[in-house]
Amino acid sequence: MQDTEITRRLAAWTVGLDAEAIPETVRAEGVRTFVNWLGCAVGGARHETVDRALAAALPFSGPARAQVIGRAERVDELHAALLNGISSHVLDYDDTHLKTIIHPAGPVASAILAVAETRAVSGRDFLTALIAGIEVECRIGNSVYPDHYDRGWHITGTAGVFGAAAATGRLLGLTELQMTWAFGIAATQSSGFREMFGTMCKSFHPGRAAQNGAMAAFLAKADFDSSLRAIEAPRGWANVLSTKQDYGEIVDGLGTRWEAGLNTYKPFACGIVIHPAIDGCQQLRDKLGARVADIASVELRTHPLVLELTGKTAPTTGLEGKFSVFHSAATALLYGDGSPTAFTDERVRDPAVMALRDKVKATSDGSVHEDAVHIAVTLTDGERIELHVPHAIGSLERPLSNEAIGEKFVTQSVPVIGEVASRALLAMGWALESSDDVAAIASASAAQA
Amino acid sequence: MQDTEITRRLAAWTVGLDAEAIPETVRAEGVRTFVNWLGCAVGGARHETVDRALAAALPFSGPARAQVIGRAERVDELHAALLNGISSHVLDYDDTHLKTIIHPAGPVASAILAVAETRAVSGRDFLTALIAGIEVECRIGNSVYPDHYDRGWHITGTAGVFGAAAATGRLLGLTELQMTWAFGIAATQSSGFREMFGTMCKSFHPGRAAQNGAMAAFLAKADFDSSLRAIEAPRGWANVLSTKQDYGEIVDGLGTRWEAGLNTYKPFACGIVIHPAIDGCQQLRDKLGARVADIASVELRTHPLVLELTGKTAPTTGLEGKFSVFHSAATALLYGDGSPTAFTDERVRDPAVMALRDKVKATSDGSVHEDAVHIAVTLTDGERIELHVPHAIGSLERPLSNEAIGEKFVTQSVPVIGEVASRALLAMGWALESSDDVAAIASASAAQA
């Protein structure tokens, strides 16, 4: 389609979106997105990446009006957006828009929960802003994916900054013109490389996207102007950062086709490609019971990306364990575990896990879908048990249930803020839409000092 | 050349640079750079772009430790870096590294003068950090120019963030490894589009580059890690943001060939590409005297970038006037003016200027050098007067004298902070190298509240 007023039309839609016009299924997905994000932010709050970012940022913080989730510290809203964006992504456990591999909640929710602490925002308005922000970033992502990602851009950062601007802009009540400027200010700060994967800068990207997108909205609110065609201009975002520009993905079917309804949540704290193997091994564990001890061999037939990305046969650290389908299968069979505790240094060095890991073989098969796996277990008595997972748990076909999202939340947050606070926070998360003032959710996430 | 450890080698040089090893000519150019930057920052301090950015940023400021130059407000160092980077560039009157059209001082000086307010920094160490930062950003710029710029990146922002990280990193005493990380954290924040020219976001770019580059250094100081090959990796900065990568420009002849010695200073408050036209029109005004009123037409034959960048035929605001070679020529012919007063809303709407502007025609000629112009004026009686400017005033061949830099400083700063403060500040600027504590320069730039 033509590149006519794409930025302006997206801004008009963002400003004009009425809560009533969002389908119930999409609103429900928004609540799931929020709960999943909140649990991840608490779960990652004590990671050394957050410790170091906080140590660097704290001397520059403005008034302590916003909570660093899962910790005792309070900082200004923009720094809270940065830090919560980091913690929610640092365990690679957050949500995924599968079409673009964008992790939608980090940039958006991190920005607006912080901003909501300084003004009364109802759960209903918050959810509308969250959905608007996710819709904006995923549509912008769709317009350039995969070329943009292939070039080396970490799309969660580059597209996320627009989502943060959109959602924050709604809370600030921007006019259509101001929202157009906010998108321009966001565009001209868009950044983040895939080269940073495996370093602390990976989770810095959604954090900075949240902070920069929010600042874009505050600047626009102060009538700081920008290009009115920041996305579609010949030297605008889509042309400078991508060889593909499909503007129809941005403006067609706004309010009808909802990208925000297509979010997914990882059941396991590792790359999406080994989810089928972990899922299948958990199912086999349930079938085998005590006979797990009698396993002689495990054969996995997987999509080729599995061995390409997670082919480490002898991981020695928890982080390396995330890149080993062998370790992941073994810990799922022995402990039924795919949560963060499955990827600690201790678990990776567990002799029982190491022994079983060495009995796991994997072969690549181009006919196996990315979210599928074939598994065959042979026991010491010669019995052979086979299992086919056509769609891994957490995929769009087998979405995580609300119960599973809740379990994931609690598993992550209890070690950080304790059982009582975790359960209370989870309940507040599910009740988002009926909240009078979402600032209470942020405060409830605080660890006792 | 090969892409071997480019980032690391640049970091090693930046950390190891000794003040003694910098040639006297380069140090002297560094002082001229600083004085020119300081005058521009004072001169731009009351611009509405700064007013609006400050209004948006003030609620988020940390402790008021650093001066917003030319104003009464004090903010935290990172916000001062942002605001001073904006004010120093907002009049398009700052310095230019002609090979890359980078405006070197904005990102670098704005970062380190602010940071120097919180720790004792001698003028000598400050100047060394300033030169190191400028060397880093200009070399990185050289490695990708012009492809990177042609694609639409505003190189002052995209390369400037490295300069700010380098210079701030020196003040913080980063190790070589930390400086390598700082370059990585800077790289993954690199941003800013040429599409923003003519809007407030243009000067936002050096401001944000100063702020983000400084933050990169503070993060690295806290051991926040990053890629060690952020510039040269297959998915690193140079490959993602450019089709050209000449790494020799970054690491060859470090300490021997000095890009920091090639800085230039604008006599006119607009883009460097229309300097030849203004220079020529001022010369013609001197020749024509009262016959300026009899001009029937003005023909400019210019380098093609002139129309590409400044081809606005009917500007309506002062800011747009800077992107109109037609307005610029008219105001130079009528008033002899290329200073900030030539680019006010009032001047752009001056009927006499508008009438003459419409008589100016410009044609692109690839054989005309960037700092040259051919002008032909035809009077109503048919007389035709031609002028060729081979090198515009302010170019490397016709550099501004220290006296002219001082006059430019005073012309800009007197309306903002008054005659006495301006003269005192100018003297402190020239005496930079013998300063015991450069924080005094920042405080002396303050307007009385």
Side-chain angles (χ1 to χ4, degrees):
Chain A
M1 72 169 290
Q2 284 199 309
D3 56 346
T4 308
E5 297 219 314
I6 302 303
T7 308
R8 188 88 181 216
R9 285 157 70 189
L10 188 64
W13 177 82
T14 304
V15 167
L17 176 64
D18 187 10
E20 311 275 327
I22 302 174
E24 185 47 46
T25 51
V26 175
R27 298 190 74 79
E29 204 61 64
V31 174
R32 286 157 54 85
T33 294
F34 178 70
V35 170
N36 184 72
W37 168 81
L38 189 60
C40 291
V42 175
R46 289 274 163 209
H47 195 279
E48 66 182 349
T49 303
V50 182
D51 289 342
R52 293 180 191 184
L54 183 60
L58 209 50
F60 305 106
S61 176
R65 291 185 295 245
Q67 189 65 45
V68 184
I69 289 175
R71 302 186 61 116
E73 294 89 351
R74 289 177 71 80
V75 293
D76 70 76
E77 305 92 289
L78 296 179
H79 277 110
L82 169 68
L83 294 161
N84 297 337
I86 292 175
S87 63
S88 70
H89 188 58
V90 72
L91 300 176
D92 282 306
Y93 205 14
D94 48 345
D95 52 344
T96 309
H97 178 251
L98 291 166
K99 283 189 201 173
T100 56
I101 334 185
I102 288 174
H103 305 290
V108 181
S110 305
I112 57 177
L113 185 59
V115 170
E117 291 203 66
T118 61
R119 58 208 75 212
V121 177
S122 71
R124 185 174 172 81
D125 289 346
F126 182 91
L127 185 62
T128 303
L130 178 69
I131 289 169
I134 291 177
E135 193 65 25
V136 163
E137 70 182 322
C138 291
R139 281 173 167 265
I140 290 177
N142 283 344
S143 76
V144 296
Y145 190 87
D147 303 41
H148 171 76
Y149 191 78
D150 290 346
R151 186 185 283 180
W153 292 107
H154 186 195
I155 192 167
T156 295
T158 54
V161 68
F162 292 97
T168 307
R170 278 198 59 102
L171 296 195
L172 302 187
L174 298 189
T175 65
E176 181 185 320
L177 179 60
Q178 289 172 330
M179 187 68 87
T180 310
W181 289 336
F183 286 162
I185 304 168
T188 208
Q189 298 180 86
S190 177
S191 61
F193 301 140
R194 287 171 60 194
E195 166 64 17
M196 298 298 156
F197 289 8
T199 79
M200 293 181 173
C201 282
K202 180 171 194 270
S203 55
F204 181 68
H205 297 157
R208 209 57 155 170
Q211 181 182 29
N212 288 347
M215 186 61 183
F218 281 104
L219 282 162
K221 180 76 178 174
D223 289 332
F224 195 93
D225 72 17
S226 183
S227 165
L228 299 177
R229 305 180 68 228
I231 296 172
E232 71 275 17
R235 289 204 181 103
W237 183 86
N239 284 297
V240 175
L241 276 77
S242 179
T243 41
K244 171 191 164 188
Q245 302 87 22
D246 184 348
Y247 298 118
E249 288 285 353
I250 299 180
V251 292
D252 287 353
L254 274 166
T256 308
R257 167 172 68 75
W258 288 90
E259 295 299 317
L262 303 178
N263 210 0
T264 68
Y265 317 95
K266 286 184 186 174
F268 311 127
C270 55
I272 201 85
V273 292
I274 41 178
H275 275 50
I278 297 174
D279 183 0
C281 287
Q282 287 186 338
Q283 294 182 39
L284 282 166
R285 178 175 186 269
D286 292 341
K287 284 194 185 175
L288 290 168
R291 289 195 298 164
V292 163
D294 305 327
I295 291 175
S297 75
V298 180
E299 295 157 56
L300 307 171
R301 194 149 51 80
T302 69
H303 185 275
L305 265 181
V306 175
L307 279 175
E308 189 182 327
L309 296 175
T310 62
K312 266 192 203 297
T313 50
T316 57
T317 65
L319 191 56
E320 286 184 355
K322 289 181 194 246
F323 298 93
S324 171
V325 67
F326 310 102
H327 167 77
S328 301
T331 188
L333 282 164
L334 273 178
Y335 301 106
D337 193 4
S339 82
T341 55
F343 302 102
T344 59
D345 292 353
E346 193 186 6
R347 180 67 63 78
V348 164
R349 293 166 192 158
D350 176 332
V353 171
M354 290 173 71
L356 183 53
R357 180 184 85 194
D358 292 344
K359 295 176 184 166
V360 179
K361 301 279 172 290
T363 53
S364 290
D365 182 343
S367 72
V368 177
H369 193 267
E370 278 185 47
D371 68 349
V373 72
H374 294 269
I375 310 180
V377 167
T378 307
L379 301 181
T380 45
D381 64 6
E383 189 184 349
R384 184 176 168 89
I385 301 151
E386 299 200 7
L387 182 86
H388 173 221
V389 177
H391 299 291
I393 180 75
S395 63
L396 276 172
E397 290 80 2
R398 283 180 63 212
L400 236 56
S401 66
N402 284 1
E403 289 69 27
I405 289 175
E407 271 171 47
K408 174 183 169 183
F409 184 109
V410 170
T411 305
Q412 287 190 86
S413 66
V414 167
V416 179
I417 58 172
E419 179 85 25
V420 175
S422 290
R423 299 274 173 201
L425 188 62
L426 176 60
M428 291 173 85
W430 286 126
L432 173 66
E433 224 176 336
S434 60
S435 167
D436 287 337
D437 185 353
V438 294
I441 302 176
S443 338
S445 81
Q448 301 305 310
Chain B
M1 71 168 293
Q2 286 198 308
D3 56 346
T4 307
E5 297 218 312
I6 302 304
T7 309
R8 187 89 180 214
R9 285 157 69 189
L10 188 64
W13 177 82
T14 305
V15 167
L17 176 64
D18 186 9
E20 310 276 327
I22 302 173
E24 185 48 44
T25 51
V26 175
R27 298 190 75 81
E29 205 61 63
V31 174
R32 284 159 54 88
T33 294
F34 178 71
V35 170
N36 183 72
W37 167 82
L38 189 60
C40 290
V42 174
R46 290 274 161 212
H47 195 279
E48 64 181 350
T49 303
V50 181
D51 289 343
R52 293 180 191 185
L54 183 59
L58 209 50
F60 304 106
S61 176
R65 289 184 296 245
Q67 189 65 45
V68 184
I69 289 175
R71 301 185 63 115
E73 294 90 350
R74 291 177 70 81
V75 293
D76 70 75
E77 305 94 287
L78 296 179
H79 278 110
L82 169 69
L83 294 160
N84 296 336
I86 292 175
S87 63
S88 70
H89 188 58
V90 73
L91 300 176
D92 283 305
Y93 207 13
D94 48 344
D95 52 344
T96 309
H97 176 252
L98 291 166
K99 282 189 199 173
T100 56
I101 335 184
I102 288 174
H103 305 292
V108 181
S110 304
I112 57 176
L113 186 59
V115 170
E117 291 203 66
T118 61
R119 57 207 76 212
V121 176
S122 71
R124 186 174 172 80
D125 288 346
F126 182 91
L127 185 62
T128 302
L130 178 68
I131 290 169
I134 291 177
E135 192 66 24
V136 162
E137 71 181 321
C138 292
R139 281 174 167 265
I140 290 176
N142 284 344
S143 76
V144 295
Y145 190 86
D147 302 40
H148 170 76
Y149 191 78
D150 290 346
R151 186 185 285 178
W153 292 106
H154 185 194
I155 193 166
T156 295
T158 54
V161 68
F162 292 98
T168 307
R170 277 197 62 99
L171 296 194
L172 302 186
L174 297 189
T175 64
E176 181 185 318
L177 178 60
Q178 289 171 331
M179 188 67 87
T180 310
W181 288 336
F183 287 162
I185 304 167
T188 207
Q189 298 179 86
S190 178
S191 60
F193 301 141
R194 285 170 58 194
E195 166 64 18
M196 300 298 155
F197 289 8
T199 78
M200 293 182 173
C201 283
K202 180 170 195 269
S203 54
F204 181 67
H205 296 158
R208 210 56 156 169
Q211 182 182 29
N212 287 346
M215 186 60 183
F218 280 104
L219 282 163
K221 181 76 179 177
D223 289 332
F224 196 92
D225 72 17
S226 183
S227 164
L228 299 178
R229 304 180 67 228
I231 297 172
E232 71 275 19
R235 288 202 183 106
W237 183 85
N239 285 296
V240 175
L241 276 77
S242 179
T243 41
K244 171 191 164 189
Q245 302 87 23
D246 184 347
Y247 299 117
E249 288 285 353
I250 299 180
V251 291
D252 287 352
L254 274 167
T256 308
R257 167 171 70 73
W258 289 91
E259 295 300 315
L262 303 178
N263 210 1
T264 67
Y265 316 96
K266 289 180 183 175
F268 310 129
C270 56
I272 198 78
V273 292
I274 40 179
H275 275 51
I278 297 174
D279 185 357
C281 286
Q282 286 186 339
Q283 293 181 38
L284 282 165
R285 178 176 188 268
D286 292 342
K287 283 193 186 176
L288 290 169
R291 290 195 298 164
V292 163
D294 304 329
I295 292 175
S297 74
V298 180
E299 296 157 56
L300 307 172
R301 193 151 51 82
T302 69
H303 184 274
L305 266 180
V306 174
L307 278 175
E308 188 180 330
L309 295 176
T310 62
K312 265 190 204 297
T313 49
T316 58
T317 65
L319 195 54
E320 287 184 355
K322 291 176 191 261
F323 297 91
S324 171
V325 67
F326 311 102
H327 168 78
S328 301
T331 187
L333 282 165
L334 272 178
Y335 300 107
D337 194 5
S339 82
T341 55
F343 302 101
T344 59
D345 291 353
E346 193 186 6
R347 181 66 62 81
V348 165
R349 293 166 193 159
D350 176 333
V353 171
M354 291 173 71
L356 184 52
R357 179 184 85 194
D358 293 342
K359 297 176 184 165
V360 179
K361 301 278 172 289
T363 53
S364 291
D365 181 342
S367 72
V368 177
H369 193 267
E370 279 185 44
D371 67 349
V373 72
H374 294 268
I375 310 179
V377 167
T378 306
L379 301 181
T380 45
D381 64 5
E383 188 184 349
R384 184 174 168 91
I385 300 151
E386 300 199 8
L387 183 85
H388 172 223
V389 177
H391 298 291
I393 180 73
S395 63
L396 278 173
E397 290 78 4
R398 285 177 61 209
L400 239 57
S401 65
N402 284 3
E403 289 68 28
I405 289 175
E407 270 172 47
K408 175 181 168 185
F409 185 108
V410 170
T411 305
Q412 288 189 87
S413 65
V414 166
V416 180
I417 58 171
E419 179 86 24
V420 174
S422 290
R423 298 273 172 203
L425 188 63
L426 177 60
M428 290 174 87
W430 286 126
L432 173 66
E433 224 177 333
S434 59
S435 167
D436 287 336
D437 184 354
V438 295
I441 301 176
S443 337
S445 82
Q448 300 306 309

